[in-house]
Amino acid sequence: MATLTQPTTAGPRWDLRRLGSQYGVYVFAVLVFLATCIFMPGFLSVASIKSLLVLASILGIASIGQTLAIIVGGLDLSVASMIGLSSVSLAVLSARGWSFATTFLLILAVAVVVGVLNGLLAHRLQAPALVVTLASGSILTGVTMMLNKGSAGGTIPEWITESVSVNATTLGIPMPLVVLVWVALTGVLVLLQRRSPSFRRIYASGMNPTAARLALVRLPVVWASAFAASAAAAAIAGIFLGGFSGGANIDVGQPYLFLTIAAVVVGGTSLLGGRGGVGRTLAGAFLISNLTTLLLGVGVGTNVQQILLGTLIVALVYLYGREAHVRTRI
Amino acid sequence: MSDALSRTRSRPGETRHTTLLEVSDLNVSYGQTRALVDASIVVRRGEVHALIGENGCGKSTLVKTISGIVRPGSGTLTWQGEAASLRRPRDAQRRGIVTVFQETLVADELSVLDNLCLGQGGTFRRGQGRAEAERAATKQMSRLGLGDLDLSQPMWRLPLSRRHLVAIGRALMRPWDLLLLDEATSALDIEDRERLFTVIREGAAEGRGILYISHRLDEIETLADTVTVLRSGRIAGVLDRSVMSRSEIVRLMSPPSRAVRERVDRAASAAPSAGTPVLRVEGARLDAAGRAFDLEIAAGEILGLAGLEGHGHARFLRCLAGWDSLHAGTVTAIDPDSGTSTPIRNATNANKAQVAYVPGDRKREGIFAASSVEDNLTLPALRRFSRMGLLDLGRMRTAASELSERMRLVAASPQVAIETLSGGNQQKVVLGRWIATSPRVLLLDDPMRGVDVNSKADIMSVLSELVAEGVSLVLLSTEVEELVDVCHRVAVFREQSLHQLLPREALDEETVVAAMLGEGAER
């Protein structure tokens, strides 16, 4: 029997809307970059592009985790608090003479535990991840404040500060470490997205949890791993951000709650779960950082920036939502 | 009934039509599925008109169309002699058409009184006081035997049967000329049922109409003046009270007998009863009231499961799969090669014992719409394709192509999104996903529902290949014809018990339908 013939019902091959939602973020990113080059005199220099990349990379690293939480069908509102906890812990513990390795492992372990709990609770309680992570974020902020009380200021290891400085070179490559970490993490996850069974299960759970369960996907495990990844990514971002701020600062993570979600959504990962990926989020994080730079550069104040960013997200969500889905036939 | 609620809809001087509702040549389709085909029905004043048919014959669609919930593709609706277009439920209600649906639709958190007045919208606007609403409600509920019911308590405090009575009461609270009752008695006990019958008879005596949907032949015999039988979306016959009989109704419900030659073909296929058992059910009870039963499924056997919706056959299938648990009794999977038996406790352990469950609701439980056919096919078997934590994409691609071919899949390639395929081909993918796990027992929840003829034939050939290899099938189907065609035995469930276990010699449509309706000797 001849089997692999034309499908009985195929959508148009070149659907503009479809293409838009598929590649839109990459096109946008390039356009905004070009606009920055044109409208910001003096932007086109190695130093300013590098500083843009550093800015984008911290957001990008945190957004990698958010992407996974969103693909599995949730949302992680505790990233900002996790970033704060991680960066304050680093400053405080380093000031007490802890080695970086120990500090890092401890922070990572805490992040994973918090993430696992977030995932399990969000799944088991059938409570929206929104509420669970909002609550756990509040707890984390409280813990951070307690930590911060004793040793105001704190110290950040020199090499961390170096890793986010524009003029740094890493192992001979003329690029700060944070940018390389961002690209490497994204690269590894893009590979895993395709090649790892766990990622297939994350996508399946986000797209259709009922069907995934019936296909013997263990949803609690999948949710726990996605949220653990989210918390771990936030913790790593927090460490680099510590290098940026140079000391303990509990509010350091604040902007990242909105920005990580923005980066994921602008990238084109669906808030409904099951669709998207970290590659798009890389472009999304770059686009948003670049846009902020551009707006700053042409003298738009922070207030107006906020308004414009919000508008951009609503517009893009609308645009992506318009993708003509081939309906599932009865 | 003399209060405001019962005022007739006709104004003085207006002629009262004897025909309340006339539906002609109604066609309704859901996607490719035709739910109603040229359906016509006439309900007169003073008439209790019964509607009967198997699951999926279009009864509910007809009810929803008359209630203004489903818009027909074509056809006309005439209400008291005037063409009526019912675009939304309100249009039907305004004309005096009220419906009690099969599902108990109540707002759990609201009080009983609020539930009774729900949707009337005028309770406060019209200036009708709470006391007045309460009086009207008490009056309606006392007709249903619940005159002393505390109307201020929240709905969730009531047991299911009471809640359903409240749903009926809500319909009666409205001024009505036509009452549609969709399986209204399935949740009621005998006394409540009798009271409802009285209300129905009174309504008819006052010159209103009742469209009564039921699976119970005894009720239809007691109540109905006319019965319309639906089969596969078409009107199979209309029987007047004078010619109404159980056997005639069952005959009309059953599809026409198939050609003798096919019967012979079926009989010629290998008799499996001698095969070794692969699944054993002992002392099974689906609920506290059900009778315990034993059942054994042999290698290479096709066991059919039949029953009216909600009578336990679907749950029994899920119990075999480990997705649900029996009220009492055990399910054991037996490996015929080694003889080891595994009690089935959950789905994971069932899967290890090579018992696979193919869910029925394709869209909700089966497919990952935006994923490729390949990803959809390979999900439960991913472990087989991974080496050191990474998937061997080449091997997956080969396996997916082979499986697509085996499933006779019509798709441009295994890389296209499954949502671009027709329903029948999506079903092949969902089935193929489990065939890929090499099951010994395949539990199928209505795999041919909403599947086109060609895909049906493809799925049938795939299944018969499996059976030839010694795989056992437990096939739940809402289409009796399908069960009679392919099954070696059919277990008919009624009221959460195994009602009859029909051997192949006794299999024909009429026997199965009769057993589903509770006719025929109990097992």
Side-chain angles (χ1 to χ4, degrees):
Chain A
M1 187 160 171
T3 49
L4 298 179
T5 52
Q6 273 306 111
T8 46
T9 44
R13 285 246 138 206
W14 295 101
D15 188 330
L16 259 185
R17 280 216 207 107
R18 212 190 167 97
L19 283 177
S21 78
Q22 201 94 311
Y23 302 109
V25 62
Y26 304 108
V27 177
F28 265 127
V30 171
L31 286 181
V32 172
F33 182 73
L34 290 179
T36 318
C37 295
I38 294 166
F39 295 113
M40 252 180 81
F43 171 74
L44 206 53
S45 72
V46 174
S48 40
I49 290 176
K50 267 191 190 174
S51 77
L52 168 61
L53 285 177
V54 169
L55 211 64
S57 61
I58 293 177
L59 172 60
I61 291 170
S63 306
I64 288 174
Q66 187 69 273
T67 311
L68 297 183
I70 287 176
I71 289 175
V72 84
L75 193 65
D76 191 348
L77 296 189
S78 68
V79 283
S81 312
M82 184 47 85
I83 288 174
L85 175 65
S86 152
S87 107
V88 167
S89 309
L90 178 70
V92 170
L93 296 178
S94 301
R96 289 188 190 164
W98 286 46
S99 79
F100 174 74
T102 330
T103 316
F104 179 68
L105 286 178
L106 178 73
I107 290 173
L108 213 55
V110 169
V112 167
V113 169
V114 169
V116 165
L117 286 177
N118 275 343
L120 288 181
L121 284 173
H123 177 259
R124 180 54 54 86
L125 297 180
Q126 296 293 313
L130 212 75
V131 179
V132 170
T133 53
L134 196 62
S136 69
S138 164
I139 296 171
L140 291 180
T141 305
V143 172
T144 311
M145 282 152 97
M146 281 158 64
L147 254 178
N148 199 31
K149 206 173 269 173
S151 49
T155 54
I156 297 289
E158 183 116 2
W159 70 273
I160 299 261
T161 316
E162 188 69 8
S163 74
V164 293
S165 87
V166 175
N167 301 318
T169 53
T170 314
L171 303 170
I173 306 165
M175 193 60 83
L177 176 68
V178 66
V179 178
L180 296 180
V181 168
W182 174 38
V183 174
L185 272 180
T186 305
V188 168
L189 286 174
V190 166
L191 173 83
L192 289 180
Q193 255 169 221
R194 225 18 234 145
R195 300 275 314 260
S196 133
S198 314
F199 265 84
R200 297 288 172 111
R201 297 191 185 106
I202 289 181
Y203 277 96
S205 308
M207 206 176 299
N208 189 343
T210 313
R213 197 174 77 94
L214 286 166
L216 301 171
V217 171
R218 285 174 295 173
L219 291 179
V221 175
V222 170
W223 275 67
S225 5
F227 278 84
S230 176
I236 294 173
I239 287 171
F240 283 119
L241 205 57
F244 222 72
S245 66
N249 178 0
I250 28 171
D251 292 331
V252 78
Q254 206 109 82
Y256 287 91
L257 170 54
F258 176 71
L259 287 177
T260 52
I261 298 173
V264 175
V265 170
V266 167
T269 294
S270 165
L271 277 173
L272 299 174
R275 291 155 222 234
V278 292
R280 315 174 136 278
T281 300
L282 178 129
F286 179 78
L287 171 58
I288 285 189
S289 309
N290 193 351
L291 200 62
T292 319
T293 310
L294 172 62
L295 292 175
L296 260 175
V298 297
V300 177
T302 344
N303 306 343
V304 181
Q305 271 182 47
Q306 289 276 328
I307 295 171
L308 288 177
L309 264 182
T311 315
L312 173 77
I313 286 173
V314 175
L316 282 177
V317 168
Y318 175 74
L319 190 74
Y320 294 156
R322 305 286 300 173
E323 177 184 356
H325 276 298
V326 188
R327 284 173 305 282
T328 317
R329 282 158 191 87
I330 296 174
Chain B
M1 293 278 308
S2 57
D3 59 307
L5 300 172
S6 69
R7 76 200 114 122
T8 46
R9 321 282 311 152
S10 45
R11 290 183 206 96
E14 194 180 324
T15 46
R16 273 177 42 130
H17 281 261
T18 50
T19 301
L20 259 182
L21 174 77
E22 187 172 354
V23 174
S24 338
D25 300 321
L26 207 61
N27 282 283
V28 178
S29 303
Y30 302 118
Q32 293 171 336
T33 314
R34 300 184 72 183
L36 283 177
V37 184
D38 298 329
S40 303
I41 191 168
V42 175
V43 184
R44 294 181 188 81
R45 284 193 175 277
E47 177 186 56
V48 179
H49 194 127
L51 191 60
I52 192 168
E54 284 179 34
N55 297 332
C57 70
K59 291 184 307 265
S60 292
T61 304
L62 186 57
V63 170
K64 283 180 184 157
T65 313
I66 299 173
S67 311
I69 293 169
V70 169
R71 292 191 204 179
S74 68
T76 55
L77 254 133
T78 314
W79 175 252
Q80 307 210 46
E82 277 174 38
S85 104
L86 307 176
R87 298 178 158 275
R88 52 189 77 85
R90 194 164 280 276
D91 292 344
Q93 274 169 32
R94 226 184 31 226
R95 291 179 164 85
I97 302 173
V98 298
T99 311
V100 179
F101 292 97
Q102 192 174 356
E103 304 85 17
T104 309
L105 301 172
V106 291
D108 278 335
E109 300 301 325
L110 295 183
S111 73
V112 174
L113 183 64
D114 287 343
N115 266 283
L116 284 167
C117 299
L118 205 65
Q120 284 201 326
T123 312
F124 301 104
R125 242 177 297 150
R126 209 187 285 146
Q128 184 191 19
R130 194 163 177 86
E132 196 184 325
E134 216 161 295
R135 254 198 312 282
T138 311
K139 185 165 180 183
Q140 286 308 328
M141 291 317 284
S142 61
R143 299 179 73 197
L144 295 168
L146 292 178
D148 53 355
L149 188 71
D150 173 11
L151 295 176
S152 59
Q153 65 181 316
M155 205 60 199
W156 53 263
R157 287 239 184 96
L158 303 184
L160 179 66
S161 61
R162 293 266 159 113
R163 289 167 7 147
H164 203 75
L165 279 175
V166 172
I168 295 172
R170 178 169 64 211
L172 296 175
M173 292 274 290
R174 295 184 176 140
W176 61 275
D177 275 323
L178 177 64
L179 176 64
L180 282 78
L181 291 167
D182 192 353
E183 302 219 24
T185 54
S186 52
L188 303 183
D189 62 29
I190 293 168
E191 274 179 47
D192 292 338
R193 199 175 289 175
E194 284 305 323
R195 283 198 201 90
L196 178 63
F197 288 178
T198 311
V199 173
I200 290 174
R201 289 201 187 94
E202 283 172 11
E206 286 164 11
R208 312 172 198 218
I210 289 98
L211 189 58
Y212 189 81
I213 292 95
S214 176
H215 276 312
R216 306 185 71 105
L217 292 177
D218 54 334
E219 288 181 4
I220 289 176
E221 270 188 334
T222 343
L223 270 181
D225 302 303
T226 315
V227 57
T228 293
V229 182
L230 268 173
R231 190 179 62 228
S232 318
R234 296 166 197 272
I235 305 291
V238 183
L239 301 173
D240 208 76
R241 182 145 194 97
S242 54
V243 293
M244 200 187 295
S245 74
R246 287 190 186 204
S247 60
E248 183 61 10
I249 293 174
V250 169
R251 193 188 65 78
L252 285 172
M253 281 174 71
S254 320
S257 290
R258 339 229 36 238
V260 181
R261 208 187 56 78
E262 282 183 57
R263 288 285 162 91
V264 176
D265 280 352
R266 188 166 53 81
S269 66
S273 45
T276 46
V278 288
L279 207 58
R280 182 177 289 147
V281 179
E282 287 168 303
R285 273 162 59 191
L286 288 170
D287 64 15
R291 287 183 311 278
F293 59 90
D294 298 341
L295 200 59
E296 220 166 61
I297 295 143
E301 184 187 16
I302 310 178
L303 173 73
L305 296 186
L308 298 170
E309 207 162 314
H311 278 254
H313 55 313
R315 225 191 102 209
F316 179 63
L317 188 71
R318 286 197 301 275
C319 290
L320 295 181
W323 284 114
D324 204 334
S325 43
L326 292 164
H327 180 77
T330 55
V331 180
T332 317
I334 301 146
D335 183 344
D337 303 327
S338 66
T340 50
S341 51
T342 322
I344 289 179
R345 285 183 305 269
N346 54 50
T348 316
N349 127 288
N351 186 255
K352 284 215 182 79
Q354 289 172 277
V355 176
Y357 171 70
V358 185
D361 188 340
R362 182 167 59 237
K363 202 169 163 185
R364 210 177 65 84
E365 304 177 327
I367 64 162
F368 301 96
S371 286
S372 69
V373 168
E374 181 182 315
D375 291 355
N376 267 281
L377 278 170
T378 48
L379 188 66
L382 282 181
R383 208 162 287 137
R384 297 184 176 198
F385 301 107
S386 51
R387 214 182 303 151
M388 309 202 325
L390 286 186
L391 294 166
D392 184 337
L393 297 184
R395 229 155 46 97
M396 278 176 80
R397 186 159 294 203
T398 318
S401 311
E402 281 172 12
L403 206 52
S404 302
E405 197 144 332
R406 178 170 183 189
M407 300 306 298
R408 287 110 168 130
L409 197 68
V410 184
S413 87
Q415 268 64 52
V416 299
I418 191 172
E419 61 187 350
T420 63
L421 305 190
S422 72
N425 282 295
Q426 292 181 6
Q427 187 63 43
K428 290 181 201 169
V429 174
V430 175
L431 182 59
R433 176 192 298 168
W434 292 106
I435 291 179
T437 65
S438 6
R440 201 152 41 221
V441 182
L442 205 51
L443 309 170
L444 303 150
D445 185 354
D446 215 357
M448 252 80 88
R449 175 165 25 188
V451 163
D452 59 287
V453 187
N454 291 330
S455 300
K456 212 176 248 191
D458 290 343
I459 292 174
M460 270 337 299
S461 354
V462 173
L463 290 178
S464 51
E465 281 168 21
L466 284 173
V467 170
E469 291 165 18
V471 175
S472 310
L473 308 181
V474 180
L475 173 69
L476 181 151
S477 176
T478 41
E479 281 187 43
V480 173
E481 194 179 336
E482 208 172 278
L483 292 173
V484 170
D485 273 355
V486 303
C487 293
H488 298 119
R489 286 187 298 166
V490 172
V492 184
F493 281 73
R494 181 155 179 86
E495 289 169 353
Q496 313 303 318
S497 298
L498 177 59
H499 181 65
Q500 275 189 322
L501 188 57
L502 300 165
R504 193 162 59 179
E505 308 81 69
L507 275 188
D508 60 59
E509 286 88 356
E510 290 190 31
T511 316
V512 176
V513 171
M516 282 162 66
L517 294 169
E519 304 289 294
E522 301 232 328
R523 189 180 54 95

